PDB file of all heavy atoms in Angstrom:
ATOM      1  N   GLU A   8      -8.210 -11.138   0.314  1.00 97.00           N
ATOM      2  CA  GLU A   8      -7.546 -12.437   0.104  1.00 97.00           C
ATOM      3  C   GLU A   8      -8.358 -13.502   0.829  1.00 97.00           C
ATOM      4  O   GLU A   8      -8.594 -13.409   2.024  1.00 97.00           O
ATOM      5  CB  GLU A   8      -6.117 -12.358   0.671  1.00 97.00           C
ATOM      6  CG  GLU A   8      -5.378 -13.674   0.752  1.00 97.00           C
ATOM      7  CD  GLU A   8      -5.206 -14.331  -0.605  1.00 97.00           C
ATOM      8  OE1 GLU A   8      -4.435 -13.800  -1.424  1.00 97.00           O
ATOM      9  OE2 GLU A   8      -5.858 -15.374  -0.852  1.00 97.00           O
ATOM     10  N   ASP A   9      -8.815 -14.522   0.074  1.00 97.00           N
ATOM     11  CA  ASP A   9      -9.643 -15.546   0.708  1.00 97.00           C
ATOM     12  C   ASP A   9      -8.826 -16.677   1.324  1.00 97.00           C
ATOM     13  O   ASP A   9      -9.354 -17.465   2.101  1.00 97.00           O
ATOM     14  CB  ASP A   9     -10.671 -16.103  -0.284  1.00 97.00           C
ATOM     15  CG  ASP A   9     -10.024 -16.763  -1.481  1.00 97.00           C
ATOM     16  OD1 ASP A   9      -9.056 -16.181  -2.016  1.00 97.00           O
ATOM     17  OD2 ASP A   9     -10.474 -17.844  -1.879  1.00 97.00           O
ATOM     18  N   ASP A  10      -7.545 -16.755   1.001  1.00 96.00           N
ATOM     19  CA  ASP A  10      -6.704 -17.783   1.608  1.00 96.00           C
ATOM     20  C   ASP A  10      -6.257 -17.291   2.989  1.00 96.00           C
ATOM     21  O   ASP A  10      -5.545 -16.286   3.104  1.00 96.00           O
ATOM     22  CB  ASP A  10      -5.483 -18.053   0.709  1.00 96.00           C
ATOM     23  CG  ASP A  10      -4.596 -19.165   1.254  1.00 96.00           C
ATOM     24  OD1 ASP A  10      -4.059 -19.009   2.378  1.00 96.00           O
ATOM     25  OD2 ASP A  10      -4.438 -20.177   0.560  1.00 96.00           O
ATOM     26  N   ASP A  52      -6.587 -10.015  -4.465  1.00 94.00           N
ATOM     27  CA  ASP A  52      -6.522 -11.354  -5.047  1.00 94.00           C
ATOM     28  C   ASP A  52      -7.529 -11.403  -6.194  1.00 94.00           C
ATOM     29  O   ASP A  52      -8.504 -10.654  -6.194  1.00 94.00           O
ATOM     30  CB  ASP A  52      -6.871 -12.364  -3.941  1.00 94.00           C
ATOM     31  CG  ASP A  52      -6.795 -13.804  -4.420  1.00 94.00           C
ATOM     32  OD1 ASP A  52      -6.050 -14.081  -5.386  1.00 94.00           O
ATOM     33  OD2 ASP A  52      -7.479 -14.654  -3.825  1.00 94.00           O
ATOM     34  N   LEU A  53      -7.298 -12.270  -7.192  1.00 92.00           N
ATOM     35  CA  LEU A  53      -8.255 -12.357  -8.303  1.00 92.00           C
ATOM     36  C   LEU A  53      -9.308 -13.426  -8.060  1.00 92.00           C
ATOM     37  O   LEU A  53     -10.499 -13.195  -8.245  1.00 92.00           O
ATOM     38  CB  LEU A  53      -7.518 -12.622  -9.624  1.00 92.00           C
ATOM     39  CG  LEU A  53      -6.665 -11.483 -10.171  1.00 92.00           C
ATOM     40  CD1 LEU A  53      -6.143 -11.838 -11.555  1.00 92.00           C
ATOM     41  CD2 LEU A  53      -7.423 -10.167 -10.212  1.00 92.00           C
ATOM     42  N   GLY A  54      -8.870 -14.628  -7.646  1.00 91.00           N
ATOM     43  CA  GLY A  54      -9.813 -15.710  -7.400  1.00 91.00           C
ATOM     44  C   GLY A  54     -10.451 -15.547  -6.032  1.00 91.00           C
ATOM     45  O   GLY A  54      -9.854 -15.898  -5.017  1.00 91.00           O
ATOM     46  N   LEU A  55     -11.651 -14.960  -6.004  1.00 95.00           N
ATOM     47  CA  LEU A  55     -12.317 -14.637  -4.734  1.00 95.00           C
ATOM     48  C   LEU A  55     -13.746 -15.173  -4.731  1.00 95.00           C
ATOM     49  O   LEU A  55     -14.389 -15.183  -5.781  1.00 95.00           O
ATOM     50  CB  LEU A  55     -12.384 -13.115  -4.541  1.00 95.00           C
ATOM     51  CG  LEU A  55     -11.094 -12.365  -4.271  1.00 95.00           C
ATOM     52  CD1 LEU A  55     -11.342 -10.868  -4.400  1.00 95.00           C
ATOM     53  CD2 LEU A  55     -10.561 -12.693  -2.882  1.00 95.00           C
ATOM     54  N   LYS A 102       1.850 -15.158  -6.770  1.00 90.00           N
ATOM     55  CA  LYS A 102       2.102 -16.000  -5.606  1.00 90.00           C
ATOM     56  C   LYS A 102       2.886 -17.246  -6.034  1.00 90.00           C
ATOM     57  O   LYS A 102       2.651 -17.753  -7.128  1.00 90.00           O
ATOM     58  CB  LYS A 102       0.775 -16.458  -4.990  1.00 90.00           C
ATOM     59  CG  LYS A 102      -0.102 -15.352  -4.473  1.00 90.00           C
ATOM     60  CD  LYS A 102      -1.441 -15.942  -4.073  1.00 90.00           C
ATOM     61  CE  LYS A 102      -2.448 -14.841  -3.813  1.00 90.00           C
ATOM     62  NZ  LYS A 102      -3.802 -15.389  -3.628  1.00 90.00           N
TER      63      LYS A 102
HETATM   64 CA1   CA B 148      -7.978 -16.684  -3.958  1.00 95.18          CA
END
Side-chain angles (χ1 to χ4, degrees):
E8 170 60 69
D9 61 316
D10 183 299
D52 182 25
L53 291 187
L55 290 168
K102 298 172 191 171

